[in-house]
mmCIF file with all atom_site columns, all heavy atoms in Angstrom:
data_model
loop_
_atom_site.group_PDB
_atom_site.id
_atom_site.type_symbol
_atom_site.label_atom_id
_atom_site.label_alt_id
_atom_site.label_comp_id
_atom_site.label_asym_id
_atom_site.label_entity_id
_atom_site.label_seq_id
_atom_site.pdbx_PDB_ins_code
_atom_site.Cartn_x
_atom_site.Cartn_y
_atom_site.Cartn_z
_atom_site.occupancy
_atom_site.B_iso_or_equiv
_atom_site.pdbx_formal_charge
_atom_site.auth_seq_id
_atom_site.auth_comp_id
_atom_site.auth_asym_id
_atom_site.auth_atom_id
_atom_site.pdbx_PDB_model_num
ATOM 1   N N   . PRO Y 1 165 ? -29.186 -7.089  18.036 1.00 85.00 ? 273 PRO Y N   1
ATOM 2   C CA  . PRO Y 1 165 ? -30.573 -7.208  17.545 1.00 85.00 ? 273 PRO Y CA  1
ATOM 3   C C   . PRO Y 1 165 ? -30.512 -7.292  15.986 1.00 85.00 ? 273 PRO Y C   1
ATOM 4   O O   . PRO Y 1 165 ? -31.186 -8.103  15.385 1.00 85.00 ? 273 PRO Y O   1
ATOM 5   C CB  . PRO Y 1 165 ? -31.349 -5.960  18.028 1.00 85.00 ? 273 PRO Y CB  1
ATOM 6   C CG  . PRO Y 1 165 ? -30.638 -5.708  19.349 1.00 85.00 ? 273 PRO Y CG  1
ATOM 7   C CD  . PRO Y 1 165 ? -29.204 -6.034  19.091 1.00 85.00 ? 273 PRO Y CD  1
ATOM 8   N N   . GLN Y 1 166 ? -29.863 -6.281  15.357 1.00 87.00 ? 274 GLN Y N   1
ATOM 9   C CA  . GLN Y 1 166 ? -29.796 -6.302  13.873 1.00 87.00 ? 274 GLN Y CA  1
ATOM 10  C C   . GLN Y 1 166 ? -29.024 -7.531  13.360 1.00 87.00 ? 274 GLN Y C   1
ATOM 11  O O   . GLN Y 1 166 ? -29.365 -8.036  12.366 1.00 87.00 ? 274 GLN Y O   1
ATOM 12  C CB  . GLN Y 1 166 ? -29.100 -4.958  13.404 1.00 87.00 ? 274 GLN Y CB  1
ATOM 13  C CG  . GLN Y 1 166 ? -29.044 -4.895  11.907 1.00 87.00 ? 274 GLN Y CG  1
ATOM 14  C CD  . GLN Y 1 166 ? -28.278 -3.534  11.400 1.00 87.00 ? 274 GLN Y CD  1
ATOM 15  O OE1 . GLN Y 1 166 ? -28.004 -2.763  12.256 1.00 87.00 ? 274 GLN Y OE1 1
ATOM 16  N NE2 . GLN Y 1 166 ? -28.089 -3.535  10.069 1.00 87.00 ? 274 GLN Y NE2 1
ATOM 17  N N   . ALA Y 1 167 ? -27.978 -8.009  14.079 1.00 90.00 ? 275 ALA Y N   1
ATOM 18  C CA  . ALA Y 1 167 ? -27.202 -9.094  13.667 1.00 90.00 ? 275 ALA Y CA  1
ATOM 19  C C   . ALA Y 1 167 ? -28.063 -10.353 13.733 1.00 90.00 ? 275 ALA Y C   1
ATOM 20  O O   . ALA Y 1 167 ? -28.068 -11.094 12.758 1.00 90.00 ? 275 ALA Y O   1
ATOM 21  C CB  . ALA Y 1 167 ? -25.969 -9.295  14.441 1.00 90.00 ? 275 ALA Y CB  1
ATOM 22  N N   . GLU Y 1 168 ? -28.687 -10.568 14.838 1.00 88.00 ? 276 GLU Y N   1
ATOM 23  C CA  . GLU Y 1 168 ? -29.604 -11.721 14.904 1.00 88.00 ? 276 GLU Y CA  1
ATOM 24  C C   . GLU Y 1 168 ? -30.678 -11.854 13.945 1.00 88.00 ? 276 GLU Y C   1
ATOM 25  O O   . GLU Y 1 168 ? -31.077 -12.934 13.524 1.00 88.00 ? 276 GLU Y O   1
ATOM 26  C CB  . GLU Y 1 168 ? -30.048 -11.786 16.438 1.00 88.00 ? 276 GLU Y CB  1
ATOM 27  C CG  . GLU Y 1 168 ? -29.071 -12.144 17.385 1.00 88.00 ? 276 GLU Y CG  1
ATOM 28  C CD  . GLU Y 1 168 ? -29.532 -12.042 18.934 1.00 88.00 ? 276 GLU Y CD  1
ATOM 29  O OE1 . GLU Y 1 168 ? -30.749 -11.649 19.063 1.00 88.00 ? 276 GLU Y OE1 1
ATOM 30  O OE2 . GLU Y 1 168 ? -28.780 -12.338 19.806 1.00 88.00 ? 276 GLU Y OE2 1
ATOM 31  N N   . ALA Y 1 169 ? -31.191 -10.698 13.592 1.00 88.00 ? 277 ALA Y N   1
ATOM 32  C CA  . ALA Y 1 169 ? -32.259 -10.593 12.543 1.00 88.00 ? 277 ALA Y CA  1
ATOM 33  C C   . ALA Y 1 169 ? -31.760 -11.112 11.151 1.00 88.00 ? 277 ALA Y C   1
ATOM 34  O O   . ALA Y 1 169 ? -32.524 -11.536 10.395 1.00 88.00 ? 277 ALA Y O   1
ATOM 35  C CB  . ALA Y 1 169 ? -32.777 -9.181  12.400 1.00 88.00 ? 277 ALA Y CB  1
ATOM 36  N N   . SER Y 1 170 ? -30.418 -11.018 11.070 1.00 89.00 ? 278 SER Y N   1
ATOM 37  C CA  . SER Y 1 170 ? -29.746 -11.427 9.695  1.00 89.00 ? 278 SER Y CA  1
ATOM 38  C C   . SER Y 1 170 ? -29.067 -12.769 9.938  1.00 89.00 ? 278 SER Y C   1
ATOM 39  O O   . SER Y 1 170 ? -28.135 -13.100 9.074  1.00 89.00 ? 278 SER Y O   1
ATOM 40  C CB  . SER Y 1 170 ? -28.810 -10.416 9.237  1.00 89.00 ? 278 SER Y CB  1
ATOM 41  O OG  . SER Y 1 170 ? -29.399 -9.239  9.048  1.00 89.00 ? 278 SER Y OG  1
ATOM 42  N N   . ASN Y 1 171 ? -29.323 -13.434 11.043 1.00 93.00 ? 279 ASN Y N   1
ATOM 43  C CA  . ASN Y 1 171 ? -28.685 -14.684 11.362 1.00 93.00 ? 279 ASN Y CA  1
ATOM 44  C C   . ASN Y 1 171 ? -27.191 -14.651 11.484 1.00 93.00 ? 279 ASN Y C   1
ATOM 45  O O   . ASN Y 1 171 ? -26.337 -15.494 10.891 1.00 93.00 ? 279 ASN Y O   1
ATOM 46  C CB  . ASN Y 1 171 ? -29.106 -15.841 10.262 1.00 93.00 ? 279 ASN Y CB  1
ATOM 47  C CG  . ASN Y 1 171 ? -28.812 -17.257 10.713 1.00 93.00 ? 279 ASN Y CG  1
ATOM 48  O OD1 . ASN Y 1 171 ? -28.793 -17.553 11.941 1.00 93.00 ? 279 ASN Y OD1 1
ATOM 49  N ND2 . ASN Y 1 171 ? -28.481 -18.097 9.752  1.00 93.00 ? 279 ASN Y ND2 1
ATOM 50  N N   . ILE Y 1 172 ? -26.722 -13.610 12.152 1.00 93.00 ? 280 ILE Y N   1
ATOM 51  C CA  . ILE Y 1 172 ? -25.245 -13.313 12.362 1.00 93.00 ? 280 ILE Y CA  1
ATOM 52  C C   . ILE Y 1 172 ? -24.922 -13.484 13.831 1.00 93.00 ? 280 ILE Y C   1
ATOM 53  O O   . ILE Y 1 172 ? -25.657 -12.825 14.700 1.00 93.00 ? 280 ILE Y O   1
ATOM 54  C CB  . ILE Y 1 172 ? -24.914 -11.918 11.795 1.00 93.00 ? 280 ILE Y CB  1
ATOM 55  C CG1 . ILE Y 1 172 ? -25.114 -11.854 10.291 1.00 93.00 ? 280 ILE Y CG1 1
ATOM 56  C CG2 . ILE Y 1 172 ? -23.459 -11.497 12.215 1.00 93.00 ? 280 ILE Y CG2 1
ATOM 57  C CD1 . ILE Y 1 172 ? -24.965 -10.457 9.758  1.00 93.00 ? 280 ILE Y CD1 1
ATOM 58  N N   . ARG Y 1 173 ? -23.912 -14.209 14.129 1.00 93.00 ? 281 ARG Y N   1
ATOM 59  C CA  . ARG Y 1 173 ? -23.384 -14.364 15.496 1.00 93.00 ? 281 ARG Y CA  1
ATOM 60  C C   . ARG Y 1 173 ? -22.322 -13.227 15.655 1.00 93.00 ? 281 ARG Y C   1
ATOM 61  O O   . ARG Y 1 173 ? -21.483 -13.013 14.921 1.00 93.00 ? 281 ARG Y O   1
ATOM 62  C CB  . ARG Y 1 173 ? -22.705 -15.707 15.687 1.00 93.00 ? 281 ARG Y CB  1
ATOM 63  C CG  . ARG Y 1 173 ? -23.601 -16.834 15.425 1.00 93.00 ? 281 ARG Y CG  1
ATOM 64  C CD  . ARG Y 1 173 ? -22.905 -18.184 15.638 1.00 93.00 ? 281 ARG Y CD  1
ATOM 65  N NE  . ARG Y 1 173 ? -21.524 -18.180 14.902 1.00 93.00 ? 281 ARG Y NE  1
ATOM 66  C CZ  . ARG Y 1 173 ? -21.401 -18.386 13.666 1.00 93.00 ? 281 ARG Y CZ  1
ATOM 67  N NH1 . ARG Y 1 173 ? -22.401 -18.690 12.870 1.00 93.00 ? 281 ARG Y NH1 1
ATOM 68  N NH2 . ARG Y 1 173 ? -20.168 -18.352 13.124 1.00 93.00 ? 281 ARG Y NH2 1
ATOM 69  N N   . VAL Y 1 174 ? -22.401 -12.622 16.933 1.00 93.00 ? 282 VAL Y N   1
ATOM 70  C CA  . VAL Y 1 174 ? -21.428 -11.549 17.314 1.00 93.00 ? 282 VAL Y CA  1
ATOM 71  C C   . VAL Y 1 174 ? -20.518 -12.130 18.373 1.00 93.00 ? 282 VAL Y C   1
ATOM 72  O O   . VAL Y 1 174 ? -21.033 -12.546 19.405 1.00 93.00 ? 282 VAL Y O   1
ATOM 73  C CB  . VAL Y 1 174 ? -22.162 -10.261 17.905 1.00 93.00 ? 282 VAL Y CB  1
ATOM 74  C CG1 . VAL Y 1 174 ? -21.102 -9.254  18.211 1.00 93.00 ? 282 VAL Y CG1 1
ATOM 75  C CG2 . VAL Y 1 174 ? -23.120 -9.674  16.824 1.00 93.00 ? 282 VAL Y CG2 1
ATOM 76  N N   . GLU Y 1 175 ? -19.306 -12.137 18.046 1.00 93.00 ? 283 GLU Y N   1
ATOM 77  C CA  . GLU Y 1 175 ? -18.347 -12.678 19.001 1.00 93.00 ? 283 GLU Y CA  1
ATOM 78  C C   . GLU Y 1 175 ? -17.335 -11.601 19.478 1.00 93.00 ? 283 GLU Y C   1
ATOM 79  O O   . GLU Y 1 175 ? -16.887 -10.852 18.613 1.00 93.00 ? 283 GLU Y O   1
ATOM 80  C CB  . GLU Y 1 175 ? -17.510 -13.842 18.290 1.00 93.00 ? 283 GLU Y CB  1
ATOM 81  C CG  . GLU Y 1 175 ? -16.312 -14.352 19.094 1.00 93.00 ? 283 GLU Y CG  1
ATOM 82  C CD  . GLU Y 1 175 ? -15.399 -15.292 18.346 1.00 93.00 ? 283 GLU Y CD  1
ATOM 83  O OE1 . GLU Y 1 175 ? -15.798 -15.513 17.169 1.00 93.00 ? 283 GLU Y OE1 1
ATOM 84  O OE2 . GLU Y 1 175 ? -14.376 -15.610 18.817 1.00 93.00 ? 283 GLU Y OE2 1
ATOM 85  N N   . VAL Y 1 176 ? -17.145 -11.440 20.807 1.00 92.00 ? 284 VAL Y N   1
ATOM 86  C CA  . VAL Y 1 176 ? -16.259 -10.509 21.299 1.00 92.00 ? 284 VAL Y CA  1
ATOM 87  C C   . VAL Y 1 176 ? -15.047 -11.138 21.915 1.00 92.00 ? 284 VAL Y C   1
ATOM 88  O O   . VAL Y 1 176 ? -15.143 -12.022 22.820 1.00 92.00 ? 284 VAL Y O   1
ATOM 89  C CB  . VAL Y 1 176 ? -16.963 -9.556  22.424 1.00 92.00 ? 284 VAL Y CB  1
ATOM 90  C CG1 . VAL Y 1 176 ? -15.999 -8.576  22.988 1.00 92.00 ? 284 VAL Y CG1 1
ATOM 91  C CG2 . VAL Y 1 176 ? -18.120 -8.909  21.752 1.00 92.00 ? 284 VAL Y CG2 1
ATOM 92  N N   . ARG Y 1 177 ? -13.865 -10.661 21.571 1.00 92.00 ? 285 ARG Y N   1
ATOM 93  C CA  . ARG Y 1 177 ? -12.599 -11.271 22.142 1.00 92.00 ? 285 ARG Y CA  1
ATOM 94  C C   . ARG Y 1 177 ? -11.677 -10.122 22.537 1.00 92.00 ? 285 ARG Y C   1
ATOM 95  O O   . ARG Y 1 177 ? -11.352 -9.251  21.767 1.00 92.00 ? 285 ARG Y O   1
ATOM 96  C CB  . ARG Y 1 177 ? -11.972 -12.126 21.047 1.00 92.00 ? 285 ARG Y CB  1
ATOM 97  C CG  . ARG Y 1 177 ? -10.669 -12.819 21.583 1.00 92.00 ? 285 ARG Y CG  1
ATOM 98  C CD  . ARG Y 1 177 ? -9.889  -13.481 20.510 1.00 92.00 ? 285 ARG Y CD  1
ATOM 99  N NE  . ARG Y 1 177 ? -8.621  -13.798 20.866 1.00 92.00 ? 285 ARG Y NE  1
ATOM 100 C CZ  . ARG Y 1 177 ? -7.560  -13.940 20.091 1.00 92.00 ? 285 ARG Y CZ  1
ATOM 101 N NH1 . ARG Y 1 177 ? -7.778  -13.722 18.734 1.00 92.00 ? 285 ARG Y NH1 1
ATOM 102 N NH2 . ARG Y 1 177 ? -6.327  -14.238 20.481 1.00 92.00 ? 285 ARG Y NH2 1
#
Side-chain angles (χ1 to χ4, degrees):
Q274 183 180 352
E276 289 173 357
S278 301
N279 196 29
I280 294 170
R281 303 177 311 280
V282 180
E283 175 190 349
V284 178
R285 182 184 164 213

